[in-house]
Structures are given as C-alpha cells and as structure tokens.
Amino acid sequence: MMIAARAALTALLATTTLTSQAATYTNPVLGGFHADPSVCRVGGDYYLATSSFEYFPGVPIYHSKDLVHWRQIGHALTRASQLNLAHTRSSQGIYAPTLRCHDGEFYMVTTNMEGGGAFYVHTKDPAGEWSEPVWLNDPSFAMDPSLFFDDDGKVYYTRHGGGEHGGVYQAEIDLKAGKLLEPPRLIWSGTGGVWPEGPHLYKHDGLYYLMISEGGTSYNHSLTMARSSSPFGPYTANPANPILTHRSHPELPLQATGHGDLVQTPEGKWWMPLLGIRPVDNRHHLGRETLLTPVAWNDQGWLTVNGGKPLAVEMSADGLPASSPWPAAPVRDDFNVPKLGLQWSQLRGPGDGLWSLSERSGYLRLKGSTITMNDIAQPAFVARRQEHMRMRATTQLEFLPAAATQSAGLVLRQNEKNYYELRVTGMPERRLELLIRTGGVTSLQASAALPPGPVTLQVESWPDHYAFSFGSGDAPLKLIGTAPTAPLSSESAGGFTGVFIGMFAEGAGKQQAMPAADFAWFDYTPLEK
C-alpha cells in the first residue's frame, strides 16, 4: 500500500509539474498606461521601458525574470536637469523610448517632443541614477528613435521622420562622442500606412530586419517588417505584411496592437512585448498597455507573430522562462519613508515645494498653489496609474480650507480638460464635492456637508463607471455619486495616456498661503487579476 501510495503521489506531482509548465499567462502583462514597450536582456534578466509623456519622473524601468511578471525598479529620468517638461502639453513630452544594453551599459534613447528633441541617457545600473542627457545633432524632427549595435562595432540610430506619410531614417552614431556621424537618411517608407514609426533594427542569420508600426497608434495599428543585406538597404518588404494587426477583428478584446520590440531567451525562443488596448464599448480609458506574444522565424526567414493568429487575453506560456512572480505590491502606502514610492508620478516636474514627506511624519503633505488641475503647469498632484478595470482606491485626508476657492482630495486625471475630483472644499462651511470635468466644462454632480476631522475618500472602478464614496470616523462609507469611464477615454478626451488616480491640492490666493492637505495613507486594491 505504501508503495502504491508513493507511486500515486509521484504521478500527481508529475501531472502538476506538467500543468505548471504548460500554464498560460494573461495579457496585458503590464496593465494601465504602459505604452511603447522596449525590452533588452542581460543573462536571465529582462528590462523594459515605457513612455511617460508629461509625467515626472520620466520613462519607468521594469525588471522581470520571465517576461510576464514585471516589477518597477526605477526611472531613467529622475532629475529636472534630465527632463524639462515645463509648459508641456498633455500627451506631449517623452514619446516612445528604446532601451538597449550592450557591454555592461544600458542606453535609453527617446525624444522630448516639446523640450529639446532627441537624446539618450546611459547607466550601468538600470535601477540607479542615469546620466545627464546626451543631446543629438539630428537636424530634423525626430520621433521614436532606436539604437542598434552591430557585430562589427558600429552603432546605428534609427527613427521616424517626415510626418504622417514619412518614413524611417537612419544614421551611424558615435555614442562615445555623443553625436551622429552623418545626417539621417531615408531607408524605408513602409508599406503605405500612415505614420511609419516605432522602428527597431535587428540582425538575424546575417540579414538586417527593420520592424515598424504603421496605421497610427489606434484601431488601425499594425506591425510590418522588411529586410536587407545592408543596414541602409535597400529593404524588401515581407510579402505577408502586416505581420500583426487586429484592425479586421473588432470583436477581439485586445485592439490597436503594434509598436513591438523583440527579445530572445537564453533557450533561443523569441518573444515580443508590444502595446494594445482593452476597449469598453469602443472606448479605452486605461491607456495603451503592454502585451506579450511569442514570435518565431519561418522557413523563408520572416518573423511570424503568434503563429499567425490574433493575440488573446489568455496565451500559452510554452517557451517562456520558468514562471518567477514577484511578491505582491502592498495595498497601502502609509508615507513613512523619505522618498515617494516608484509608483507615484507628478505633472511636468519634481514638484519642489509642493509636497513633503517630512514636515509631518507619516503623512504626505500637499501644499496647493495658484496652479489648478485645469492649467498646463505643475499643480500639487501625486498620482499613480490605474492598472485594473476593477480596483478600489482609498485615502484619508486632513484639510481645513481657509478660503472658499481652496480644495484638496482624490482625483482621476486624463488631462486638463477631462478629470473627476472627490474634494474637500468650502469656508466657513466645509463640504465634500464630486466634481466632473469633461471637454473643458466643469460641473458639480453632488455635494455633502462634512463634520470636523479626517475624511476618508474612495473611488471604486468597473469597466464602464466609477463609484465615489466618503466617510468620517468609524462610520461606513457613503456613496455620493457615480461617473462613467467613457469621458476619460482617449476616444473622448484625446491623447495617448491613461487614467491616473491620486491626490491633489489647489486654490491658494496670491496673497494668502494655503493650509496643508495631509494624506495619512493611500490604498490601491486590485479587484481583478
């Protein structure tokens, strides 16, 4: 009996192991606004960068052991000297970065669209500080730059140029000198789709492969590829282009697929992080997210994506490194450390003087100014990406307005013209307001009187709406109102980002300082995977 039992247990364990090896993974692998992913590998470690537009710090950096589970380890642009976003319009600023690692050095190249053009930074530690920007002598408009390290020691700088119907331009670059060795020249115009952008150059089996996006970064998004025996062409287009698009599959839950990058595992398998969206009733409010798909080279030497099939939410993990999840992120940030956590972002700068973690121990103190959430400037604002369709965000606020124009509270931001606020305001009678701003028009949806003392503010999300609640003391939270997600979608609000959820303060007079808004903690609770 013991032998039989042991044999049964062994069979069960074997079955479990096989099941684990044949497991699936879920797209997106990075939920919420994580657009334009670029990836590189060092040994068994993978690093990924995404775009950040008007948010500061710029270009979040993630680390993974298995290409599925990602943990943020830092930002490439953490200092005002690296990132000038003053007066940068929403969805401008830092466009698609490319992350590359070569000979122990990491390089991130990108464009500050309204703040100086193309540049790169570098470091030996992607979780640490990166260099000051090395601005490039690119004489023309440069978008979506990329770097390619050839095996003969040459390095190539590749980027979009020429506008909507432009093409891909390239030049040799001297990274030590920090300059292009020649003016970039056109190497491929794509297959005829608008915005031939997001180029990445690779070398495989002795040939150069150029992968780009076409069709714009919305529902007509696609990936196309061409190859050549020379890095400067002429390039021959893949006869099977586009190698990926969901534009003819409006029924699929993942849309706008494109802007990918390639990485090879130590075992020789190829994978592609790329962006996509999850529309709700033909609108997406979380932004463009990072997806993952297997890719392979066929007998004709062309890249195939997911075996020619559309991408799905649940995908086979066959060929991925062994699953290596990170510990779950804590729900609560109780603001008891000297620095803001890596999940937090601000608008257009580091916010010096607008916030403090030290003036009141264990609290995030926001000090509102004359700048409001309506302004293309820097308000007192600390927020994080909404990463899940179903989530709950809660904070506790102590704030006593000294003027009727002053307010502080919870905000869901898409841009200056489209946001929701659950705010404490009013003087001498303090009250709670649910403020809705869509298309640049602000309206008061609900209001409630507030007793003295701390106030708990909460928003819970569903795919199609938000529910806002509040409470004082130990009393249960009360619903004050709801608002749809659609007005915060890119289809309604415009732009390339997604919803950020966080804390704000505003309304100081020119002659009168504003009382501090003290946030005791902030909870972000995912209610789905």
PDB file of all heavy atoms in Angstrom, residues 39-48 62-67 70 73 99-107 123-126 263-266:
ATOM      1  N   VAL A  39      12.461  46.479 -24.819  1.00  0.00           N
ATOM      2  CA  VAL A  39      12.991  45.451 -23.933  1.00  0.00           C
ATOM      3  C   VAL A  39      14.428  45.115 -24.296  1.00  0.00           C
ATOM      4  O   VAL A  39      14.838  45.211 -25.455  1.00  0.00           O
ATOM      5  CB  VAL A  39      12.107  44.184 -24.000  1.00  0.00           C
ATOM      6  CG1 VAL A  39      12.179  43.522 -25.365  1.00  0.00           C
ATOM      7  CG2 VAL A  39      12.449  43.187 -22.898  1.00  0.00           C
ATOM      8  N   CYS A  40      15.207  44.724 -23.299  1.00  0.00           N
ATOM      9  CA  CYS A  40      16.521  44.130 -23.533  1.00  0.00           C
ATOM     10  C   CYS A  40      16.774  43.088 -22.441  1.00  0.00           C
ATOM     11  O   CYS A  40      16.121  43.093 -21.399  1.00  0.00           O
ATOM     12  CB  CYS A  40      17.636  45.171 -23.582  1.00  0.00           C
ATOM     13  SG  CYS A  40      18.017  45.982 -22.022  1.00  0.00           S
ATOM     14  N   ARG A  41      17.734  42.180 -22.706  1.00  0.00           N
ATOM     15  CA  ARG A  41      18.031  41.077 -21.776  1.00  0.00           C
ATOM     16  C   ARG A  41      19.506  41.092 -21.404  1.00  0.00           C
ATOM     17  O   ARG A  41      20.373  41.327 -22.257  1.00  0.00           O
ATOM     18  CB  ARG A  41      17.669  39.736 -22.423  1.00  0.00           C
ATOM     19  CG  ARG A  41      18.034  38.520 -21.563  1.00  0.00           C
ATOM     20  CD  ARG A  41      17.622  37.213 -22.219  1.00  0.00           C
ATOM     21  NE  ARG A  41      18.359  36.896 -23.436  1.00  0.00           N
ATOM     22  CZ  ARG A  41      19.540  36.274 -23.465  1.00  0.00           C
ATOM     23  NH1 ARG A  41      20.124  35.897 -22.337  1.00  0.00           N
ATOM     24  NH2 ARG A  41      20.126  36.017 -24.617  1.00  0.00           N
ATOM     25  N   VAL A  42      19.766  40.820 -20.127  1.00  0.00           N
ATOM     26  CA  VAL A  42      21.126  40.598 -19.643  1.00  0.00           C
ATOM     27  C   VAL A  42      21.105  39.276 -18.886  1.00  0.00           C
ATOM     28  O   VAL A  42      20.533  39.179 -17.789  1.00  0.00           O
ATOM     29  CB  VAL A  42      21.608  41.733 -18.722  1.00  0.00           C
ATOM     30  CG1 VAL A  42      23.016  41.433 -18.203  1.00  0.00           C
ATOM     31  CG2 VAL A  42      21.584  43.068 -19.450  1.00  0.00           C
ATOM     32  N   GLY A  43      21.699  38.234 -19.475  1.00  0.00           N
ATOM     33  CA  GLY A  43      21.638  36.913 -18.863  1.00  0.00           C
ATOM     34  C   GLY A  43      20.215  36.435 -18.769  1.00  0.00           C
ATOM     35  O   GLY A  43      19.499  36.346 -19.766  1.00  0.00           O
ATOM     36  N   GLY A  44      19.772  36.131 -17.551  1.00  0.00           N
ATOM     37  CA  GLY A  44      18.396  35.705 -17.337  1.00  0.00           C
ATOM     38  C   GLY A  44      17.493  36.811 -16.850  1.00  0.00           C
ATOM     39  O   GLY A  44      16.389  36.537 -16.352  1.00  0.00           O
ATOM     40  N   ASP A  45      17.933  38.054 -16.981  1.00  0.00           N
ATOM     41  CA  ASP A  45      17.152  39.197 -16.512  1.00  0.00           C
ATOM     42  C   ASP A  45      16.684  40.025 -17.701  1.00  0.00           C
ATOM     43  O   ASP A  45      17.449  40.304 -18.626  1.00  0.00           O
ATOM     44  CB  ASP A  45      17.989  40.078 -15.584  1.00  0.00           C
ATOM     45  CG  ASP A  45      18.361  39.369 -14.294  1.00  0.00           C
ATOM     46  OD1 ASP A  45      17.484  39.247 -13.427  1.00  0.00           O
ATOM     47  OD2 ASP A  45      19.523  38.930 -14.172  1.00  0.00           O
ATOM     48  N   TYR A  46      15.418  40.448 -17.627  1.00  0.00           N
ATOM     49  CA  TYR A  46      14.825  41.255 -18.686  1.00  0.00           C
ATOM     50  C   TYR A  46      14.483  42.639 -18.125  1.00  0.00           C
ATOM     51  O   TYR A  46      13.996  42.766 -16.997  1.00  0.00           O
ATOM     52  CB  TYR A  46      13.560  40.584 -19.227  1.00  0.00           C
ATOM     53  CG  TYR A  46      13.817  39.206 -19.771  1.00  0.00           C
ATOM     54  CD1 TYR A  46      13.753  38.083 -18.935  1.00  0.00           C
ATOM     55  CD2 TYR A  46      14.132  39.007 -21.105  1.00  0.00           C
ATOM     56  CE1 TYR A  46      13.997  36.803 -19.423  1.00  0.00           C
ATOM     57  CE2 TYR A  46      14.387  37.725 -21.608  1.00  0.00           C
ATOM     58  CZ  TYR A  46      14.314  36.639 -20.755  1.00  0.00           C
ATOM     59  OH  TYR A  46      14.573  35.375 -21.239  1.00  0.00           O
ATOM     60  N   TYR A  47      14.718  43.650 -18.936  1.00  0.00           N
ATOM     61  CA  TYR A  47      14.446  45.031 -18.542  1.00  0.00           C
ATOM     62  C   TYR A  47      13.574  45.679 -19.600  1.00  0.00           C
ATOM     63  O   TYR A  47      13.751  45.447 -20.800  1.00  0.00           O
ATOM     64  CB  TYR A  47      15.754  45.796 -18.355  1.00  0.00           C
ATOM     65  CG  TYR A  47      16.633  45.196 -17.294  1.00  0.00           C
ATOM     66  CD1 TYR A  47      17.594  44.246 -17.626  1.00  0.00           C
ATOM     67  CD2 TYR A  47      16.473  45.546 -15.960  1.00  0.00           C
ATOM     68  CE1 TYR A  47      18.385  43.661 -16.652  1.00  0.00           C
ATOM     69  CE2 TYR A  47      17.267  44.975 -14.968  1.00  0.00           C
ATOM     70  CZ  TYR A  47      18.223  44.027 -15.324  1.00  0.00           C
ATOM     71  OH  TYR A  47      18.990  43.442 -14.349  1.00  0.00           O
ATOM     72  N   LEU A  48      12.641  46.506 -19.150  1.00  0.00           N
ATOM     73  CA  LEU A  48      11.654  47.072 -20.059  1.00  0.00           C
ATOM     74  C   LEU A  48      11.404  48.530 -19.702  1.00  0.00           C
ATOM     75  O   LEU A  48      11.340  48.894 -18.519  1.00  0.00           O
ATOM     76  CB  LEU A  48      10.354  46.268 -19.980  1.00  0.00           C
ATOM     77  CG  LEU A  48       9.239  46.628 -20.947  1.00  0.00           C
ATOM     78  CD1 LEU A  48       8.585  45.365 -21.508  1.00  0.00           C
ATOM     79  CD2 LEU A  48       8.167  47.481 -20.260  1.00  0.00           C
ATOM     80  N   TYR A  62      11.334  48.625 -15.747  1.00  0.00           N
ATOM     81  CA  TYR A  62      10.823  47.424 -15.103  1.00  0.00           C
ATOM     82  C   TYR A  62      11.805  46.265 -15.275  1.00  0.00           C
ATOM     83  O   TYR A  62      12.582  46.231 -16.229  1.00  0.00           O
ATOM     84  CB  TYR A  62       9.464  47.037 -15.691  1.00  0.00           C
ATOM     85  CG  TYR A  62       8.401  48.082 -15.455  1.00  0.00           C
ATOM     86  CD1 TYR A  62       8.235  49.127 -16.356  1.00  0.00           C
ATOM     87  CD2 TYR A  62       7.588  48.042 -14.333  1.00  0.00           C
ATOM     88  CE1 TYR A  62       7.276  50.106 -16.135  1.00  0.00           C
ATOM     89  CE2 TYR A  62       6.626  49.018 -14.106  1.00  0.00           C
ATOM     90  CZ  TYR A  62       6.482  50.048 -15.007  1.00  0.00           C
ATOM     91  OH  TYR A  62       5.529  51.016 -14.777  1.00  0.00           O
ATOM     92  N   HIS A  63      11.723  45.309 -14.355  1.00  0.00           N
ATOM     93  CA  HIS A  63      12.610  44.146 -14.344  1.00  0.00           C
ATOM     94  C   HIS A  63      11.756  42.881 -14.255  1.00  0.00           C
ATOM     95  O   HIS A  63      10.755  42.847 -13.530  1.00  0.00           O
ATOM     96  CB  HIS A  63      13.552  44.242 -13.138  1.00  0.00           C
ATOM     97  CG  HIS A  63      14.431  43.045 -12.941  1.00  0.00           C
ATOM     98  ND1 HIS A  63      14.765  42.567 -11.686  1.00  0.00           N
ATOM     99  CD2 HIS A  63      15.045  42.234 -13.833  1.00  0.00           C
ATOM    100  CE1 HIS A  63      15.550  41.513 -11.822  1.00  0.00           C
ATOM    101  NE2 HIS A  63      15.738  41.289 -13.108  1.00  0.00           N
ATOM    102  N   SER A  64      12.166  41.852 -14.994  1.00  0.00           N
ATOM    103  CA  SER A  64      11.448  40.580 -14.963  1.00  0.00           C
ATOM    104  C   SER A  64      12.429  39.437 -15.120  1.00  0.00           C
ATOM    105  O   SER A  64      13.504  39.592 -15.710  1.00  0.00           O
ATOM    106  CB  SER A  64      10.416  40.524 -16.094  1.00  0.00           C
ATOM    107  OG  SER A  64       9.761  39.271 -16.135  1.00  0.00           O
ATOM    108  N   LYS A  65      12.046  38.288 -14.608  1.00  0.00           N
ATOM    109  CA  LYS A  65      12.800  37.051 -14.816  1.00  0.00           C
ATOM    110  C   LYS A  65      12.131  36.136 -15.835  1.00  0.00           C
ATOM    111  O   LYS A  65      12.745  35.164 -16.286  1.00  0.00           O
ATOM    112  CB  LYS A  65      12.926  36.294 -13.484  1.00  0.00           C
ATOM    113  CG  LYS A  65      13.829  36.963 -12.451  1.00  0.00           C
ATOM    114  CD  LYS A  65      15.283  36.745 -12.784  1.00  0.00           C
ATOM    115  CE  LYS A  65      16.189  37.190 -11.649  1.00  0.00           C
ATOM    116  NZ  LYS A  65      17.627  36.962 -11.984  1.00  0.00           N
ATOM    117  N   ASP A  66      10.857  36.459 -16.191  1.00  0.00           N
ATOM    118  CA  ASP A  66      10.102  35.525 -17.031  1.00  0.00           C
ATOM    119  C   ASP A  66       9.302  36.194 -18.146  1.00  0.00           C
ATOM    120  O   ASP A  66       8.516  35.527 -18.822  1.00  0.00           O
ATOM    121  CB  ASP A  66       9.175  34.674 -16.165  1.00  0.00           C
ATOM    122  CG  ASP A  66       8.164  35.517 -15.385  1.00  0.00           C
ATOM    123  OD1 ASP A  66       8.074  36.739 -15.625  1.00  0.00           O
ATOM    124  OD2 ASP A  66       7.458  34.949 -14.532  1.00  0.00           O
ATOM    125  N   LEU A  67       9.455  37.509 -18.334  1.00  0.00           N
ATOM    126  CA  LEU A  67       8.766  38.296 -19.353  1.00  0.00           C
ATOM    127  C   LEU A  67       7.280  38.506 -19.070  1.00  0.00           C
ATOM    128  O   LEU A  67       6.614  39.238 -19.800  1.00  0.00           O
ATOM    129  CB  LEU A  67       8.928  37.669 -20.753  1.00  0.00           C
ATOM    130  CG  LEU A  67      10.323  37.788 -21.370  1.00  0.00           C
ATOM    131  CD1 LEU A  67      10.421  36.915 -22.633  1.00  0.00           C
ATOM    132  CD2 LEU A  67      10.638  39.248 -21.708  1.00  0.00           C
ATOM    133  N   TRP A  70       6.426  41.656 -13.996  1.00  0.00           N
ATOM    134  CA  TRP A  70       7.318  42.810 -14.041  1.00  0.00           C
ATOM    135  C   TRP A  70       7.232  43.592 -12.739  1.00  0.00           C
ATOM    136  O   TRP A  70       6.154  43.735 -12.160  1.00  0.00           O
ATOM    137  CB  TRP A  70       6.960  43.717 -15.213  1.00  0.00           C
ATOM    138  CG  TRP A  70       7.180  43.065 -16.541  1.00  0.00           C
ATOM    139  CD1 TRP A  70       6.276  42.352 -17.280  1.00  0.00           C
ATOM    140  CD2 TRP A  70       8.403  43.041 -17.284  1.00  0.00           C
ATOM    141  NE1 TRP A  70       6.850  41.896 -18.441  1.00  0.00           N
ATOM    142  CE2 TRP A  70       8.157  42.302 -18.469  1.00  0.00           C
ATOM    143  CE3 TRP A  70       9.685  43.571 -17.063  1.00  0.00           C
ATOM    144  CZ2 TRP A  70       9.139  42.086 -19.436  1.00  0.00           C
ATOM    145  CZ3 TRP A  70      10.662  43.353 -18.021  1.00  0.00           C
ATOM    146  CH2 TRP A  70      10.391  42.630 -19.190  1.00  0.00           C
ATOM    147  N   ILE A  73      11.659  49.107 -11.062  1.00  0.00           N
ATOM    148  CA  ILE A  73      12.896  49.276 -10.306  1.00  0.00           C
ATOM    149  C   ILE A  73      13.406  50.706 -10.337  1.00  0.00           C
ATOM    150  O   ILE A  73      14.341  51.046  -9.612  1.00  0.00           O
ATOM    151  CB  ILE A  73      14.006  48.337 -10.817  1.00  0.00           C
ATOM    152  CG1 ILE A  73      14.287  48.583 -12.301  1.00  0.00           C
ATOM    153  CG2 ILE A  73      13.624  46.879 -10.556  1.00  0.00           C
ATOM    154  CD1 ILE A  73      15.495  47.827 -12.838  1.00  0.00           C
ATOM    155  N   LEU A  99      15.098  50.958 -25.179  1.00  0.00           N
ATOM    156  CA  LEU A  99      16.038  50.512 -24.157  1.00  0.00           C
ATOM    157  C   LEU A  99      16.954  49.457 -24.760  1.00  0.00           C
ATOM    158  O   LEU A  99      16.484  48.474 -25.342  1.00  0.00           O
ATOM    159  CB  LEU A  99      15.276  49.925 -22.969  1.00  0.00           C
ATOM    160  CG  LEU A  99      16.108  49.458 -21.778  1.00  0.00           C
ATOM    161  CD1 LEU A  99      16.800  50.633 -21.103  1.00  0.00           C
ATOM    162  CD2 LEU A  99      15.233  48.707 -20.777  1.00  0.00           C
ATOM    163  N   ARG A 100      18.258  49.670 -24.622  1.00  0.00           N
ATOM    164  CA  ARG A 100      19.231  48.701 -25.114  1.00  0.00           C
ATOM    165  C   ARG A 100      20.335  48.507 -24.071  1.00  0.00           C
ATOM    166  O   ARG A 100      20.662  49.438 -23.314  1.00  0.00           O
ATOM    167  CB  ARG A 100      19.855  49.170 -26.436  1.00  0.00           C
ATOM    168  CG  ARG A 100      18.856  49.196 -27.603  1.00  0.00           C
ATOM    169  CD  ARG A 100      18.445  47.798 -27.984  1.00  0.00           C
ATOM    170  NE  ARG A 100      17.495  47.739 -29.100  1.00  0.00           N
ATOM    171  CZ  ARG A 100      16.197  47.529 -28.964  1.00  0.00           C
ATOM    172  NH1 ARG A 100      15.681  47.410 -27.732  1.00  0.00           N
ATOM    173  NH2 ARG A 100      15.407  47.448 -30.013  1.00  0.00           N
ATOM    174  N   CYS A 101      20.887  47.298 -24.012  1.00  0.00           N
ATOM    175  CA  CYS A 101      22.003  47.015 -23.123  1.00  0.00           C
ATOM    176  C   CYS A 101      23.132  46.411 -23.956  1.00  0.00           C
ATOM    177  O   CYS A 101      22.893  45.515 -24.773  1.00  0.00           O
ATOM    178  CB  CYS A 101      21.589  46.088 -21.985  1.00  0.00           C
ATOM    179  SG  CYS A 101      20.300  44.881 -22.363  1.00  0.00           S
ATOM    180  N   HIS A 102      24.366  46.907 -23.734  1.00  0.00           N
ATOM    181  CA  HIS A 102      25.498  46.485 -24.560  1.00  0.00           C
ATOM    182  C   HIS A 102      26.777  46.652 -23.754  1.00  0.00           C
ATOM    183  O   HIS A 102      27.065  47.740 -23.236  1.00  0.00           O
ATOM    184  CB  HIS A 102      25.563  47.339 -25.830  1.00  0.00           C
ATOM    185  CG  HIS A 102      26.689  46.966 -26.748  1.00  0.00           C
ATOM    186  ND1 HIS A 102      26.683  45.816 -27.513  1.00  0.00           N
ATOM    187  CD2 HIS A 102      27.875  47.589 -26.999  1.00  0.00           C
ATOM    188  CE1 HIS A 102      27.800  45.754 -28.211  1.00  0.00           C
ATOM    189  NE2 HIS A 102      28.536  46.809 -27.911  1.00  0.00           N
ATOM    190  N   ASP A 103      27.534  45.563 -23.637  1.00  0.00           N
ATOM    191  CA  ASP A 103      28.828  45.582 -22.938  1.00  0.00           C
ATOM    192  C   ASP A 103      28.727  46.182 -21.538  1.00  0.00           C
ATOM    193  O   ASP A 103      29.556  47.011 -21.127  1.00  0.00           O
ATOM    194  CB  ASP A 103      29.870  46.357 -23.759  1.00  0.00           C
ATOM    195  CG  ASP A 103      30.368  45.556 -24.955  1.00  0.00           C
ATOM    196  OD1 ASP A 103      30.099  44.339 -25.015  1.00  0.00           O
ATOM    197  OD2 ASP A 103      31.019  46.155 -25.834  1.00  0.00           O
ATOM    198  N   GLY A 104      27.697  45.779 -20.797  1.00  0.00           N
ATOM    199  CA  GLY A 104      27.553  46.216 -19.415  1.00  0.00           C
ATOM    200  C   GLY A 104      26.959  47.594 -19.235  1.00  0.00           C
ATOM    201  O   GLY A 104      26.833  48.071 -18.095  1.00  0.00           O
ATOM    202  N   GLU A 105      26.574  48.257 -20.316  1.00  0.00           N
ATOM    203  CA  GLU A 105      25.998  49.595 -20.239  1.00  0.00           C
ATOM    204  C   GLU A 105      24.566  49.550 -20.770  1.00  0.00           C
ATOM    205  O   GLU A 105      24.262  48.862 -21.745  1.00  0.00           O
ATOM    206  CB  GLU A 105      26.824  50.583 -21.058  1.00  0.00           C
ATOM    207  CG  GLU A 105      26.510  52.033 -20.797  1.00  0.00           C
ATOM    208  CD  GLU A 105      27.172  52.592 -19.555  1.00  0.00           C
ATOM    209  OE1 GLU A 105      28.031  51.892 -18.971  1.00  0.00           O
ATOM    210  OE2 GLU A 105      26.843  53.722 -19.151  1.00  0.00           O
ATOM    211  N   PHE A 106      23.669  50.290 -20.108  1.00  0.00           N
ATOM    212  CA  PHE A 106      22.294  50.436 -20.552  1.00  0.00           C
ATOM    213  C   PHE A 106      22.132  51.808 -21.207  1.00  0.00           C
ATOM    214  O   PHE A 106      22.636  52.816 -20.691  1.00  0.00           O
ATOM    215  CB  PHE A 106      21.325  50.319 -19.377  1.00  0.00           C
ATOM    216  CG  PHE A 106      21.218  48.927 -18.817  1.00  0.00           C
ATOM    217  CD1 PHE A 106      22.188  48.431 -17.952  1.00  0.00           C
ATOM    218  CD2 PHE A 106      20.143  48.111 -19.143  1.00  0.00           C
ATOM    219  CE1 PHE A 106      22.093  47.155 -17.433  1.00  0.00           C
ATOM    220  CE2 PHE A 106      20.039  46.824 -18.631  1.00  0.00           C
ATOM    221  CZ  PHE A 106      21.018  46.344 -17.775  1.00  0.00           C
ATOM    222  N   TYR A 107      21.412  51.829 -22.308  1.00  0.00           N
ATOM    223  CA  TYR A 107      21.128  53.069 -23.027  1.00  0.00           C
ATOM    224  C   TYR A 107      19.625  53.209 -23.198  1.00  0.00           C
ATOM    225  O   TYR A 107      18.937  52.255 -23.562  1.00  0.00           O
ATOM    226  CB  TYR A 107      21.790  53.059 -24.406  1.00  0.00           C
ATOM    227  CG  TYR A 107      23.286  52.962 -24.388  1.00  0.00           C
ATOM    228  CD1 TYR A 107      23.919  51.720 -24.320  1.00  0.00           C
ATOM    229  CD2 TYR A 107      24.083  54.107 -24.435  1.00  0.00           C
ATOM    230  CE1 TYR A 107      25.302  51.615 -24.298  1.00  0.00           C
ATOM    231  CE2 TYR A 107      25.476  54.014 -24.423  1.00  0.00           C
ATOM    232  CZ  TYR A 107      26.069  52.760 -24.356  1.00  0.00           C
ATOM    233  OH  TYR A 107      27.448  52.669 -24.331  1.00  0.00           O
ATOM    234  N   THR A 123      23.603  54.219 -18.224  1.00  0.00           N
ATOM    235  CA  THR A 123      23.945  53.836 -16.858  1.00  0.00           C
ATOM    236  C   THR A 123      24.446  52.400 -16.866  1.00  0.00           C
ATOM    237  O   THR A 123      24.182  51.642 -17.802  1.00  0.00           O
ATOM    238  CB  THR A 123      22.711  53.943 -15.934  1.00  0.00           C
ATOM    239  OG1 THR A 123      23.081  53.675 -14.584  1.00  0.00           O
ATOM    240  CG2 THR A 123      21.639  52.928 -16.333  1.00  0.00           C
ATOM    241  N   LYS A 124      25.131  52.024 -15.807  1.00  0.00           N
ATOM    242  CA  LYS A 124      25.490  50.622 -15.605  1.00  0.00           C
ATOM    243  C   LYS A 124      24.489  49.916 -14.705  1.00  0.00           C
ATOM    244  O   LYS A 124      24.468  48.684 -14.637  1.00  0.00           O
ATOM    245  CB  LYS A 124      26.907  50.511 -15.021  1.00  0.00           C
ATOM    246  CG  LYS A 124      28.006  50.933 -15.992  1.00  0.00           C
ATOM    247  CD  LYS A 124      29.386  50.607 -15.461  1.00  0.00           C
ATOM    248  CE  LYS A 124      30.466  51.037 -16.446  1.00  0.00           C
ATOM    249  NZ  LYS A 124      30.333  50.361 -17.772  1.00  0.00           N
ATOM    250  N   ASP A 125      23.655  50.697 -14.015  1.00  0.00           N
ATOM    251  CA  ASP A 125      22.663  50.148 -13.099  1.00  0.00           C
ATOM    252  C   ASP A 125      21.293  50.710 -13.460  1.00  0.00           C
ATOM    253  O   ASP A 125      20.987  51.861 -13.132  1.00  0.00           O
ATOM    254  CB  ASP A 125      23.016  50.506 -11.657  1.00  0.00           C
ATOM    255  CG  ASP A 125      21.977  49.997 -10.661  1.00  0.00           C
ATOM    256  OD1 ASP A 125      21.099  49.197 -11.051  1.00  0.00           O
ATOM    257  OD2 ASP A 125      22.051  50.400  -9.479  1.00  0.00           O
ATOM    258  N   PRO A 126      20.437  49.934 -14.122  1.00  0.00           N
ATOM    259  CA  PRO A 126      19.141  50.480 -14.552  1.00  0.00           C
ATOM    260  C   PRO A 126      18.220  50.844 -13.394  1.00  0.00           C
ATOM    261  O   PRO A 126      17.261  51.589 -13.586  1.00  0.00           O
ATOM    262  CB  PRO A 126      18.549  49.351 -15.397  1.00  0.00           C
ATOM    263  CG  PRO A 126      19.221  48.112 -14.905  1.00  0.00           C
ATOM    264  CD  PRO A 126      20.619  48.528 -14.511  1.00  0.00           C
ATOM    265  N   VAL A 263      12.912  40.188 -28.210  1.00  0.00           N
ATOM    266  CA  VAL A 263      13.918  39.709 -27.273  1.00  0.00           C
ATOM    267  C   VAL A 263      13.989  38.189 -27.400  1.00  0.00           C
ATOM    268  O   VAL A 263      12.971  37.524 -27.653  1.00  0.00           O
ATOM    269  CB  VAL A 263      13.585  40.131 -25.821  1.00  0.00           C
ATOM    270  CG1 VAL A 263      12.323  39.448 -25.302  1.00  0.00           C
ATOM    271  CG2 VAL A 263      14.760  39.871 -24.893  1.00  0.00           C
ATOM    272  N   GLN A 264      15.185  37.650 -27.244  1.00  0.00           N
ATOM    273  CA  GLN A 264      15.404  36.213 -27.334  1.00  0.00           C
ATOM    274  C   GLN A 264      15.796  35.678 -25.966  1.00  0.00           C
ATOM    275  O   GLN A 264      16.628  36.269 -25.269  1.00  0.00           O
ATOM    276  CB  GLN A 264      16.497  35.893 -28.360  1.00  0.00           C
ATOM    277  CG  GLN A 264      16.663  34.415 -28.658  1.00  0.00           C
ATOM    278  CD  GLN A 264      17.731  34.146 -29.709  1.00  0.00           C
ATOM    279  OE1 GLN A 264      18.644  34.955 -29.894  1.00  0.00           O
ATOM    280  NE2 GLN A 264      17.640  33.015 -30.395  1.00  0.00           N
ATOM    281  N   THR A 265      15.178  34.571 -25.553  1.00  0.00           N
ATOM    282  CA  THR A 265      15.509  33.965 -24.273  1.00  0.00           C
ATOM    283  C   THR A 265      16.843  33.220 -24.385  1.00  0.00           C
ATOM    284  O   THR A 265      17.302  32.907 -25.491  1.00  0.00           O
ATOM    285  CB  THR A 265      14.419  32.978 -23.835  1.00  0.00           C
ATOM    286  OG1 THR A 265      14.453  31.839 -24.700  1.00  0.00           O
ATOM    287  CG2 THR A 265      13.038  33.624 -23.875  1.00  0.00           C
ATOM    288  N   PRO A 266      17.480  32.901 -23.259  1.00  0.00           N
ATOM    289  CA  PRO A 266      18.721  32.108 -23.322  1.00  0.00           C
ATOM    290  C   PRO A 266      18.522  30.758 -23.997  1.00  0.00           C
ATOM    291  O   PRO A 266      19.470  30.189 -24.546  1.00  0.00           O
ATOM    292  CB  PRO A 266      19.106  31.944 -21.848  1.00  0.00           C
ATOM    293  CG  PRO A 266      18.473  33.096 -21.150  1.00  0.00           C
ATOM    294  CD  PRO A 266      17.187  33.337 -21.884  1.00  0.00           C
TER     295      PRO A 266
END
